[in-house]
Amino acid sequence: MTSRDNMSEEHLPQAPGPHGGAVAAHDDPFADPGLPPHEHRRTDIDERAAARAERQVARWFILSMLATVGFIASYVAIKPSNGDGTTGVIYVFMLGHVSALNLALGMTLGISLFAIGAGAVHWARTLMSDEEHIAERHPIESTPEVRAQVFADFRQGAAESGFGRRKMIRNTMIGAMAMLPLSALVLFRDLGPLPEKKLDSTDWAAGKLLMNMNTNTPLKPSDIQVGSLTFAMPPGLNPDDPNADPTFQEVIATSALMLVRMQPGDIKDKQSADWGYEGVLAFSKICTHVGCPISLYEQQTHHVLCPCHQSTFDLSDGGRVIFGPAGHPLPQLRISVNSDGYFEALGDFSVPVGPGFWERSA
Amino acid sequence: MKKLSARRRHPLAALVVLLFALATTGGLYAAFAPTSSAQADTGQSLAVEQGKKLFQVGCSSCHGLEGQGTKDGPTLVGVGGAAVDFQVGTGRMPAQQPGPQVESKPVIYSQAEIDQLAAFVSTLGAGPSIPSADQYDASAGNVAAGGELFRTNCAQCHNFAGSGGALSEGKYAPPLDGVSAKHIYEAMLTGPQNMPSFPMSTLPQQQKQDIIAYVQHTTSQASNPNYGGLSLGSLGPVTEGLFGWIFALGALIGIAIWIAARTPKAKKS
């Protein structure tokens, strides 16, 4: 038996009786049993245990100080890792190759924050008072006298202000307050113009060439092999110029195309085959669910999978939805070949690309 | 000693019988399964003749004696030598069992045998041939340009860090770390299995080299260490969310329980 457990009777305080509502009648099964008697912690009654707990709390706080010093020291002493990873990178089990500076800063800052919290919690658990207190509920309603006084004051005030008698003041005041929110309403105009018909159309138009996204050169039928996947965009875009008008991002967000080629016999949808050129089909790259770019094309099944919500479209069947939450088939662009032998669009998409919206016509 | 039959109603008896049956079946399969140990005569014989012999032993059961294809395997007319070098050189072919996707396995043919197979398949019909070393030379590629091309053409399936990803119905895009430059080049050229091809006409050789340079830079721990610490496979929100919910939230719950736990009370001795 350790000295910690050896506590003689005289060291213990008087066992307090039950607090709160005392048991009134033994035959009442729902009587309030009150709080159980308060039990003292070791640190409440043993000065040496309390001193030990105090030292433990202080050790947490000192650890926090040391970690803060360590943070500053590592910031000063450790070199940041350079771009090619030849310096400042160390191998740590489970973490792999990591930047030594990042690891040291994160660890020290984490320890200094955690130690403050742990010290505070340990302090509260061992040394701060843990006596139970009861705060009795009281009725929320005021006393009848106070209520009567308040109502009387209100009626007297209403009568003295003449609110009910001077109708012109009352009506103009109501009018002024009703008008006030209009000023907030006009400010919504700053959110920008309404989309109007902009969501219905893309940059594609009759005669526009299909440009290879990789090389920015016009595509011709012999470029597209069966089983290949090619991304196309309208002509006249410069991906590297953010100040161009319209910018690359604005156009590509609606007009991105993927070109696939199938054996003509594999195309199940007659109209889809007619809209292509010798088995080359041009589909929108924007998912019709919430507009993620989709191009996870499986060349053997002709399925396109959207990585966001697993909508799957069958490109051999007019872009039909075969799985997932998308509500519309993938729009197809009508293409042909111009007199120079290059692919050209025969117009815009026949339906709006991308997800549904309020004003969507089709 | 008790007779064995006396224990046949033991609760674990069924398990023992099952394990025994599995071990027997597996052992017999391993003993009698056809092993593709055909040795190539590396002498002066025509590579095509040797390749044809190898083909008839190892490939014709699915692809047909003349590579015309059967119901078990596609035709190889016109796939070219590059497709053979990729499929056999990464161990995907010969396929072990049918399934949504044929997986990469230890390579069982020597490079000389693969070259002979490729030479034979090339005679079946014109197709992309095995690239030469200077064609897939990654040192001629631009990592930054390759990154842009990778994000446009490849990242949708293979993930921004080349970690691969799931496709529909059990198919998946494999991770790209450790894939040789030649096999990356051949995969882009030929479009193995469900991967679409990116032929020279739409993705020229220089851009293929850029992509190879980017993939090798990104997937190598030496050139691209985890600056942020635990990468969790670079798989994005799935692993990060799982880690956060289980470990981070678990730690917070543990701390909350510790804060509110009953402190030790003084006991009367």
Side-chain angles (χ1 to χ4, degrees), chain B residues 112-170:
Chain B
E113 292 168 323
I114 294 171
D115 290 342
Q116 289 164 354
L117 277 171
F120 167 68
V121 171
S122 303
T123 63
L124 301 175
S129 54
I130 301 179
S132 62
D134 59 318
Q135 282 182 289
Y136 54 79
D137 180 14
S139 60
N142 178 334
V143 173
E148 277 182 33
L149 291 163
F150 188 86
R151 286 186 287 277
T152 302
N153 293 284
C154 323
Q156 68 265 34
C157 297
H158 286 288
N159 164 310
F160 63 97
S163 307
L167 293 171
S168 67
E169 292 169 8

Side-chain angles (χ1 to χ4, degrees), chain B residues 168-192:
Chain B
S168 67
E169 292 169 8
K171 297 183 281 284
Y172 63 93
L176 301 181
D177 57 311
V179 182
S180 73
K182 181 169 80 158
H183 290 147
I184 299 175
Y185 190 95
E186 288 168 344
M188 289 190 275
L189 197 60
T190 62

Side-chain angles (χ1 to χ4, degrees), chain B residues 233-260:
Chain B
S234 298
L235 288 177
V238 174
T239 47
E240 286 162 17
L242 195 70
F243 188 86
W245 277 98
I246 292 182
F247 292 99
L249 209 58
L252 286 180
I253 290 172
I255 291 174
I257 290 174
W258 169 65
I259 290 175

Side-chain angles (χ1 to χ4, degrees), chain A residues 2 12-13 28 36 53 62 65 145 148 158 179 181 203 249 255 275 339 349:
Chain A
T2 64
L12 288 173
D28 181 2
I62 290 168
M65 290 188 241
E145 300 82 48
M179 294 274 285
D203 200 53
Q249 301 294 352
S255 308
W275 283 18
S339 52
F349 288 99

Side-chain angles (χ1 to χ4, degrees), chain A residues 12-347:
Chain A
L12 288 173
Q14 284 289 317
H19 297 252
V23 180
H26 284 287
D27 53 351
D28 181 2
F30 304 112
D32 179 6
L35 282 179
H38 180 73
E39 287 179 80
H40 284 275
R41 297 167 300 193
R42 279 186 200 120
T43 46
D44 291 334
I45 52 175
D46 183 349
E47 268 307 314
R48 280 185 302 157
R52 196 184 307 122
E54 189 182 354
R55 285 195 300 276
Q56 284 165 347
V57 173
R59 271 201 287 274
W60 277 115
F61 292 147
I62 290 168
L63 177 65
S64 170
M65 290 188 241
L66 291 176
T68 303
V69 172
F71 180 92
I72 297 167
S74 11
Y75 182 81
V76 174
I78 304 178
K79 273 194 183 146
S81 53
N82 63 356
D84 58 12
T86 47
T87 58
V89 172
I90 53 168
Y91 181 79
V92 180
F93 177 66
M94 293 283 283
L95 293 182
H97 291 85
V98 297
S99 158
L101 179 63
N102 287 6
L103 184 74
L105 293 184
M107 293 296 281
T108 49
L109 190 61
I111 289 172
S112 59
L113 285 170
F114 181 82
I116 290 176
V121 169
H122 194 56
W123 180 11
R125 280 162 49 84
T126 53
L127 294 173
M128 289 184 189
S129 165
D130 70 337
E131 292 278 346
E132 296 85 356
H133 292 282
I134 292 180
E136 295 286 350
R137 283 188 196 164
H138 56 86
I140 297 170
E141 195 182 49
S142 305
T143 57
E145 300 82 48
V146 173
R147 285 159 53 84
Q149 182 64 42
V150 168
F151 287 135
D153 287 352
F154 181 81
R155 272 190 291 272
Q156 189 190 353
E160 286 175 359
S161 69
F163 185 77
R165 193 159 54 87
R166 303 193 189 278
K167 294 227 163 37
M168 192 158 67
I169 289 179
R170 187 194 66 184
N171 293 347
T172 49
M173 189 185 79
I174 291 175
M177 289 166 95
M179 294 274 285
L180 190 61
L182 288 180
S183 52
L185 215 60
V186 226
L187 292 183
F188 279 118
R189 191 179 166 277
D190 289 347
L191 290 176
L194 290 170
E196 292 169 0
K197 291 287 176 196
K198 257 182 270 173
L199 295 174
D200 287 340
S201 61
T202 70
D203 200 53
W204 290 107
K208 284 208 174 188
L209 294 174
L210 272 62
M211 309 296 281
N212 185 342
M213 285 278 290
N214 296 330
T215 58
N216 207 356
T217 52
L219 286 159
K220 52 185 188 295
S222 60
D223 291 342
I224 313 292
Q225 298 178 358
V226 172
S228 70
L229 174 64
T230 312
F231 300 109
M233 60 183 179
L237 293 184
N238 184 357
D240 300 321
D241 182 4
N243 299 319
D245 184 43
T247 66
F248 171 75
Q249 301 294 352
E250 269 174 39
V251 174
I252 210 69
T254 57
S255 308
L257 273 192
M258 49 183 170
L259 261 68
V260 297
R261 186 171 206 158
M262 304 172 200
Q263 301 289 355
D266 288 349
I267 305 176
K268 296 172 207 151
D269 188 290
K270 175 77 171 57
Q271 182 193 298
S272 176
D274 290 345
W275 283 18
Y277 180 83
E278 292 178 354
V280 178
L281 309 179
F283 282 94
S284 164
K285 197 184 166 184
I286 319 293
C287 184
T288 59
H289 176 220
V290 285
C292 292
I294 71 172
S295 46
L296 284 73
Y297 174 61
E298 299 175 1
Q299 59 113 337
Q300 289 175 335
T301 59
H302 309 305
H303 294 171
V304 164
L305 174 71
C306 179
C308 294
H309 304 96
Q310 283 72 50
S311 290
T312 310
F313 302 86
D314 187 352
L315 298 194
S316 66
D317 197 5
R320 187 170 61 91
V321 183
I322 55 171
F323 183 79
H328 304 277
L330 212 52
Q332 187 180 355
L333 189 71
R334 287 183 70 183
I335 55 169
S336 185
V337 166
N338 67 9
S339 52
D340 297 331
Y342 291 109
F343 279 123
E344 62 171 4
L346 287 182

Side-chain angles (χ1 to χ4, degrees), chain B residues 75-92:
Chain B
T75 174
L76 299 184
V77 176
V79 299
V84 177
D85 190 62
F86 176 85
Q87 298 282 359
V88 185
T90 59
R92 285 179 168 78

